[in-house]
Amino acid sequence: MEFGTGARDEAFRAEARAWLAEHLPAGAGRREWERELGAAGWIGLGWSEDGYGNRTASLTQQVAWAEEYARADAPARSGHIGEKLLAPTLIAHGTPEQKARFLPPVARGEELWCQGYSEPGAGSDLAGVRTAAVREGDTYRVTGQKSWTSLAHEADWCFVLARTRPGSVRHHGLSFLLVPMDQPGRVEVRPIRQLTGTSEFNEVFFDGAEARAEHLVGAEGDGWRVAMSLLGFERGVSTLAQQIGFARELGTVIRAAVATGAADDPVVRDRLVDQWAQLRAMRWNALRTLGSSDAEAPGAPSVAKLLWGRWHQRLGELAMEVRGAGAAVGPADWSPEEPYPIDELQHLFLFGRADTIYGGSDEIQRTIIAERVLGLPKEPRG
């Protein structure tokens, strides 16, 4: 087994965990960890500009850092939305004042961000956004609801795609706004409890009478171009790091299959090998398109999302199959006052049900490939 499942990698992870235990205070959360990374300059390696407290690195160096971070089983990041999505967008479209205001706190790990795109009636179809913003002097009053907003309960700021031109339709009349989350009674966050018992996703409500945004990125009405630019930053380096985690999960499933005797079944063995081969293919595809532009690799993000989303779901299903009846039993007694306990493989299966929905559903990804890559007739839209 390659990239992340061998004895050498286990020893490396044990050493990394020991370092974390020594250097992070007991009970430290993800925000403290972001500040630790920021203090050492490890946030913002991929930015095209430095001078904000960040180091800069070549694409190869960024891949090495991301893969070693994942291989060390380091804490989950809560600042990646600000670092990987907002910051490159501000560098490309923001004013000097906006860069000076927002990039240093991201680089220091002091301000966390969430992404206000999806809505109850406009999930993967961002052109259907109905959240509205009305300009009043130098500010906007924001009215609407965002859904499936990752880490909104921890975020200090939210970048919001809102309709600023009344009566506009589809991708016209949208603007890209920066909204502070600390507006009590004006911005409300409601966690969405998932199958896993946890609540990483949230609903966010903006009260149009009071919720304010003072920062517009790009021109008013040019939000679609800014938003599409942001989505282009989601390619490559993070995908390769994600695959390190996938390989570790696959190794756990293989060990479970051996422990339960399921690995003696030739059909199960074939499925395990198939998962491994597909993961290798995803890695080579990510390396092939790494750093390429939309013109050089059209539809590459959509292809990658289709590949890993369904692959990860199949791995979760296989994890439950090799566990047998024991897969339905939790590792500890259930209490109605606490989230019900589940183990690593149960979490893999339950959370994986969302893999083909969040980040752009499979249906939307296929439509993008059909229209923008294959040149097929566009799907009728209202």
Side-chain angles (χ1 to χ4, degrees):
M1 193 59 56
E2 297 182 47
F3 61 170
T5 59
R8 181 179 179 182
D9 293 293
E10 289 296 335
F12 176 49
R13 284 194 289 274
E15 182 180 348
R17 284 193 290 268
W19 186 94
L20 289 170
E22 178 182 351
H23 289 82
L24 277 182
R30 296 202 294 187
R31 186 177 289 267
E32 287 82 3
W33 176 239
E34 290 297 317
R35 290 173 176 164
E36 185 76 17
L37 290 173
W42 291 115
I43 298 176
L45 297 181
W47 298 356
S48 58
E49 300 180 15
D50 59 8
Y52 299 107
N54 61 305
R55 307 171 188 237
T56 56
S58 67
L59 191 58
T60 300
Q61 290 170 328
Q62 293 172 47
V63 171
W65 158 257
E67 289 193 333
E68 291 306 306
Y69 187 93
R71 187 171 286 114
D73 201 17
R77 295 289 308 281
S78 57
H80 60 282
I81 296 175
E83 176 190 8
K84 303 295 186 183
L85 299 181
L86 174 80
T89 303
L90 286 182
I91 290 170
H93 303 284
T95 65
E97 293 76 16
Q98 288 171 341
K99 296 176 187 179
R101 163 61 185 86
F102 292 109
L103 294 182
V106 171
R108 294 193 298 264
E110 293 176 353
E111 288 185 349
L112 304 181
W113 286 79
C114 60
Q115 180 176 9
Y117 275 18
S118 296
E119 298 183 2
S124 297
D125 183 13
L126 293 181
V129 161
R130 290 183 292 181
T131 293
V134 178
R135 186 167 186 170
E136 288 187 350
D138 294 332
T139 66
Y140 289 85
R141 289 191 293 107
V142 185
T143 305
Q145 176 186 355
K146 297 296 181 177
S147 189
W148 304 112
T149 309
S150 300
L151 304 178
H153 59 297
E154 299 180 4
D156 303 294
W157 289 82
C158 181
F159 50 87
V160 174
L161 194 61
R163 198 165 293 282
T164 51
R165 188 183 304 161
S168 61
V169 296
R170 302 301 299 165
H171 58 276
H172 302 287
L174 298 172
S175 295
F176 192 97
L177 303 173
L178 309 182
V179 181
M181 296 294 285
D182 186 16
Q183 299 189 57
R186 306 171 183 180
V187 178
E188 180 183 359
V189 177
R190 298 180 188 172
I192 300 173
R193 188 172 182 180
Q194 298 140 215
L195 286 172
T196 56
T198 57
S199 304
E200 293 90 348
F201 302 117
N202 305 268
E203 295 177 291
V204 181
F205 297 85
F206 301 100
D207 178 356
E210 297 291 344
R212 303 282 175 165
E214 298 180 359
H215 300 276
L216 168 71
V217 179
E220 185 175 292
D222 197 29
W224 182 257
R225 184 175 68 91
V226 177
M228 292 302 99
S229 172
L230 181 145
L231 293 177
F233 296 125
E234 293 185 296
R235 178 187 300 169
V237 173
S238 60
T239 300
L240 288 164
Q242 178 190 54
Q243 291 168 6
I244 300 291
F246 286 172
R248 186 161 58 249
E249 290 175 337
L250 176 57
T252 303
V253 174
I254 292 172
R255 289 190 291 273
V258 172
T260 62
D264 296 334
D265 184 337
V267 174
V268 171
R269 288 203 303 274
D270 283 349
R271 289 175 62 186
L272 290 169
V273 171
D274 191 47
Q275 288 290 111
W276 177 86
Q278 290 179 32
L279 184 56
R280 293 301 300 172
M282 286 192 288
R283 176 172 175 79
W284 292 120
N285 181 64
L287 289 170
R288 179 180 63 85
T289 60
L290 185 65
S292 60
S293 66
D294 288 335
E296 296 167 329
S302 294
V303 171
K305 178 60 169 59
L306 280 175
L307 290 173
W308 74 253
R310 192 65 191 98
W311 181 92
H312 203 224
Q313 279 191 350
R314 287 194 297 269
L315 183 66
E317 294 161 2
L318 187 55
M320 295 299 96
E321 182 175 331
V322 302
R323 291 273 294 277
V329 180
D333 292 337
W334 176 80
S335 167
E337 288 78 28
E338 300 289 339
Y340 46 82
I342 55 176
D343 61 30
E344 178 184 359
L345 293 184
Q346 290 168 332
H347 185 277
L348 166 63
F349 171 70
L350 292 174
F351 192 86
R353 307 320 301 163
D355 285 333
T356 52
I357 301 174
Y358 72 83
S361 69
D362 277 14
E363 291 78 8
I364 292 294
Q365 305 303 340
R366 292 190 180 99
T367 297
I368 292 172
I369 294 169
E371 295 179 356
R372 302 182 188 176
V373 181
L374 302 179
L376 298 177
K378 290 190 175 183
E379 183 180 85
R381 294 178 173 89

